[in-house]
Amino acid sequence: MKVLAAITGLIVAAEGAALGPQEPTALQSVLSLGKSDPWKPPNILLVITDDQDLELDSISYTPLIEKHLRQKGTFFRNHFVTTALCCPSRVSLWTGRQAHNTNVTDVNPPYGGYPKFVDRGFNENFLPVWLQESGYDTYYTGKLFNSHTIHNYASPHVNGFNGSDFLMDPYTYSYLNSTYQRNHEPPVSYEGQHTIDVITDKALRFLDDALEGERPFFVAVAPVAPHSNVDPRDLEKGKIVMTAPIPLERHKNLFPDVKVPRTPNFNPDEPSGASWIRYLPQQNQSEINYNDHFYRSRLRALQGVDELVDSLVSRLEESDQLDNTYIIYTSDNGFHIGQHRLPPGKTCGFEEDIRVPLFIRGPGVPEGYTQESVTTHIDLAPTIFDLAGIPPRADFDGTAIPVQPDFLGARHEHVTVEFWGQAVAEGIYGGIGPDGSTMIPNNTYKSIRLLGEDYNLYYSVWCNNEHELYDLSTDPYQLQNLYPTNARAHKEDGPLMLGRSLKQAIARLDALLLVLKSCQGTTCIEPWKVLHPGDTVRSLRDALDEEYDSFYGVQPPVSFGWCDAGYIVEAEGPQVPLTSRYGVSWDVWV
Ligand SMILES: *[C@@H]1O[C@H](CO)[C@@H](O)[C@H](O)[C@H]1NC(C)=O
Ligand SMILES: *[C@@H]1O[C@H](CO)[C@@H](O)[C@H](O)[C@H]1NC(C)=O
Ligand SMILES: *[C@@H]1O[C@H](CO)[C@@H](O)[C@H](O)[C@H]1NC(C)=O
Ligand SMILES: *[C@@H]1O[C@H](CO)[C@@H](O)[C@H](O)[C@H]1NC(C)=O
Ligand SMILES: *[C@@H]1O[C@H](CO)[C@@H](O)[C@H](O)[C@H]1NC(C)=O
């Protein structure tokens, strides 16, 4: 690791310098020093699972991923998604942009799904297209987006792939009766075969094609596990019933005694959370037993993914390309089961839903290393650009993740989390919505997750103008909402946060959220610069200086006019913060 430590300085120096296409980054130049071959763009293998949690411990049950990726690569412990739902999260991943900038905010039209992705012009403008233009051969198999169906797959076909074989709705989540659609051919049903067996075969064949090519390759594999199983016959009847995933036959009896971790937020005696979550009744024994079964089914279904990764890595090891291939493993969003009394599902802003696994292995990436820096899904496209030596796009809301260690100081401390529309409850006891529906409306909120050296916070504003504030350094399970129930009662005394009153801390967090909820490009990466263009405020700690109390005291608060199901700007209250000028405190200016 000595070499890597020595080049850290070089990377900092190179940041911001425009690189020509296919020119090596500083890291790549140093890695090729002393070798006779010039730097070659690396290959990239991306594995995206569906709904895989980090917080519920799923990665402790996948020994082959542990061996090939965690021990041979870096684990990004503080990796977050920006929207905890498949389609918006995947579009953010493929474009490097927050959902408020893609406006793909849901799984189905009019606010999301494949048709919305196409309407927004992203079929001409997303990662595989950019990689192909930069000299890559690109392959994809598995689930791309929701509402990518046996009816609309050809209108238009997905762009950007030399080879593709997509899972098709309404059979995407049907583990034993999946339908895939290859290149420009008609869809094919795999009735009676397990979807993981099908995708493993397809992924290995694409990897072989990629290895035979002359150009560097990008291969993406997106298995459906450990997502719930959905029976297409129910879907056709307009019912959405999401039941426990179905493992491969050989894994169906594993982990008989394993249960959902009984953390303090598991089915707590007191209600917790905000909005609809606060009204959930405590779960009874049948529900708890079912949730444990659901949890085990997820771990069992993941065994197929574990073996899939093993097969892919073995194939790379047999080739001469492993040394020039990055392997990236992640999921589209996290998952909760029973925490805060919730039935199985995602769509919330809690840790369980927004944290996902991220492993990166490849040339120059430290082995067995755990990276603490805050990283997010909108950083992945910029990271792949960086690894491939392609200069970043101006419309990226994220920024390349340095794959070398100890970068905390150089990275921002925030994650912007946003959600619009319905929450969806899964499992046989999912009927918790109005009239026993599994869909809960008004699950619209904006949040920030902030991890500084000595603070660890989550702040959220809901569309009904409820607020949440959790101090995760003292309350890691998010059970004590510190936000005063009566905002007018904000006092200067009471609990302190970083040595200042809650009122002062909330004023900073709210202004930061006001910037981030409509940020674009660099303002998403350096939001404090919007509030303090002329001075050196770069963190919550800096902003808490008493000097800025009056400036933060007059910011328009983040608020909603009403709850909407999509990104309707008029519903979303103030958009623009006041700005402190050139280091002069705001009250001097007025
Ligand atoms: C992959 O597609 C790109 C763009 O159409 C093309 O230039 C390249 O030659 C293709 N690669 C292979 C191996 O066919
Ligand atoms: C499996 O899917 C095909 C269509 O792809 C359908 O015709 C068939 O009825 C399905 N079988 C079951 C058991 O659902
Ligand atoms: C628990 O609640 C569910 C409804 O949510 C009900 O169907 C079930 O019978 C209850 N079980 C027990 C043991 O009370
Ligand atoms: C959802 O929000 C809308 C608009 O703010 C409101 O009219 C409606 O009553 C809310 N529905 C529920 C179930 O809370
Ligand atoms: C997002 O899309 C919806 C649905 O098409 C549209 O009504 C809304 O105005 C769009 N929002 C923005 C900010 O463009």
Side-chain angles (χ1 to χ4, degrees), residues 103 110-111 116 567-569:
N103 201 12
Y111 301 116
K116 178 80 172 176
Y567 181 26
I568 308 302
V569 175

Side-chain angles (χ1 to χ4, degrees), residues 224-444:
V224 87
H227 192 284
S228 300
N229 184 67
V230 180
D231 189 326
R233 288 166 297 190
D234 286 333
L235 218 53
E236 274 158 9
K237 287 183 225 137
K239 271 201 317 190
I240 301 189
V241 186
M242 298 167 100
T243 49
I246 301 172
L248 285 155
E249 193 63 25
R250 62 182 176 277
H251 300 139
K252 71 175 187 192
N253 296 320
L254 291 174
F255 319 122
D257 303 319
V258 172
K259 293 180 171 176
V260 181
R262 297 304 198 251
T263 46
N265 61 359
F266 180 79
N267 200 25
D269 291 340
E270 298 295 325
S272 53
S275 190
W276 59 273
I277 299 159
R278 221 150 41 89
Y279 298 100
L280 292 173
Q282 200 168 23
Q283 293 171 339
N284 66 27
Q285 198 56 49
S286 329
E287 292 167 303
I288 293 171
N289 293 347
Y290 177 75
N291 287 345
D292 285 332
H293 158 74
F294 200 102
Y295 180 72
R296 285 188 292 272
S297 304
R298 285 168 52 84
L299 299 179
R300 291 165 178 161
L302 268 174
Q303 302 310 301
V305 177
D306 204 36
E307 294 177 3
L308 164 62
V309 169
D310 186 52
S311 310
L312 291 167
V313 174
S314 303
R315 191 62 57 95
L316 279 168
E317 279 168 350
E318 290 157 16
S319 77
D320 58 356
Q321 291 293 312
L322 183 67
D323 288 348
N324 200 32
T325 303
Y326 287 93
I327 307 174
I328 304 175
Y329 179 96
T330 192
S331 174
D332 54 1
N333 50 255
F335 208 73
H336 56 248
I337 306 177
Q339 296 75 31
H340 308 277
R341 306 179 171 183
L342 287 157
K346 52 262 184 184
T347 74
C348 297
F350 293 122
E351 294 290 270
E352 288 80 8
D353 294 26
I354 61 175
R355 282 183 182 267
V356 290
L358 174 65
F359 299 110
I360 302 182
R361 163 187 175 162
V365 182
E367 295 185 8
Y369 182 74
T370 299
Q371 174 61 270
E372 302 288 334
S373 297
V374 175
T375 59
T376 78
H377 259 24
I378 54 172
D379 297 332
L380 291 178
T383 303
I384 291 169
F385 264 48
D386 193 49
L387 296 174
I390 309 169
R393 292 172 57 89
D395 61 11
F396 279 156
D397 298 331
T399 178
I401 298 170
V403 294
Q404 69 279 21
D406 294 330
F407 235 86
L408 195 59
R411 280 193 67 84
H412 59 68
E413 56 186 22
H414 67 272
V415 183
T416 309
V417 181
E418 39 194 10
F419 204 93
W420 294 263
Q422 296 173 328
V424 184
E426 304 181 21
I428 58 172
Y429 297 114
I432 58 168
D435 305 322
S437 157
T438 54
M439 312 297 250
I440 303 103
N442 297 353
N443 189 50
T444 296

Side-chain angles (χ1 to χ4, degrees), residues 45-258:
L45 170 64
L46 175 63
V47 178
I48 314 168
T49 53
D50 202 325
D51 286 358
Q52 185 180 355
D53 65 87
L54 179 68
E55 289 295 280
L56 306 186
D57 237 10
S58 65
I59 61 169
S60 301
Y61 295 87
T62 46
L64 299 168
I65 290 169
E66 166 76 25
K67 175 176 127 192
H68 291 306
L69 303 184
R70 188 167 181 174
Q71 289 175 15
K72 293 274 186 187
T74 291
F75 169 40
F76 293 79
R77 222 175 72 73
N78 290 310
H79 186 75
F80 296 87
V81 302
T82 49
T83 301
L85 186 64
C86 311
C87 187
S89 183
R90 287 170 189 243
V91 174
S92 288
L93 190 159
W94 293 122
T95 59
R97 302 171 79 177
Q98 289 279 156
H100 70 251
N101 288 329
T102 66
N103 201 12
V104 179
T105 59
D106 199 357
V107 289
N108 294 314
Y111 301 116
Y114 179 61
K116 178 80 172 176
F117 169 86
V118 170
D119 286 352
R120 296 282 292 129
F122 292 123
N123 198 29
E124 284 74 43
N125 242 326
F126 74 131
L127 186 68
V129 172
W130 302 326
L131 287 175
Q132 244 183 7
E133 286 168 0
S134 301
Y136 274 75
D137 289 337
T138 54
Y139 300 89
Y140 195 100
T141 184
K143 169 176 156 189
L144 185 64
F145 298 127
N146 308 80
S147 298
H148 185 206
T149 74
I150 54 170
H151 307 297
N152 72 13
Y153 69 90
S155 50
H157 283 288
V158 177
N159 281 330
F161 293 108
N162 290 77
S164 64
D165 210 335
F166 300 115
L167 269 164
M168 291 276 102
D169 277 354
Y171 302 99
T172 305
Y173 306 112
S174 180
Y175 277 72
L176 303 179
N177 193 17
S178 54
T179 291
Y180 286 73
Q181 185 273 316
R182 182 182 164 85
N183 298 334
H184 287 193
E185 296 160 21
V188 173
S189 168
Y190 291 84
E191 184 168 2
Q193 293 184 50
H194 195 282
T195 186
I196 298 292
D197 284 337
V198 178
I199 199 174
T200 300
D201 184 54
K202 292 181 184 301
L204 288 171
R205 285 209 239 165
F206 277 145
L207 185 55
D208 282 343
D209 292 348
L211 285 163
E212 275 167 26
E214 301 280 299
R215 314 204 306 170
F217 62 77
F218 172 78
V219 175
V221 182
V224 87
H227 192 284
S228 300
N229 184 67
V230 180
D231 189 326
R233 288 166 297 190
D234 286 333
L235 218 53
E236 274 158 9
K237 287 183 225 137
K239 271 201 317 190
I240 301 189
V241 186
M242 298 167 100
T243 49
I246 301 172
L248 285 155
E249 193 63 25
R250 62 182 176 277
H251 300 139
K252 71 175 187 192
N253 296 320
L254 291 174
F255 319 122
D257 303 319
V258 172

Side-chain angles (χ1 to χ4, degrees), residues 534-549:
D535 59 36
T536 56
V537 173
R538 294 294 174 266
S539 66
L540 174 64
R541 175 167 283 294
D542 296 344
L544 274 169
D545 196 299
E546 280 178 33
E547 180 189 349
Y548 306 118
D549 286 0

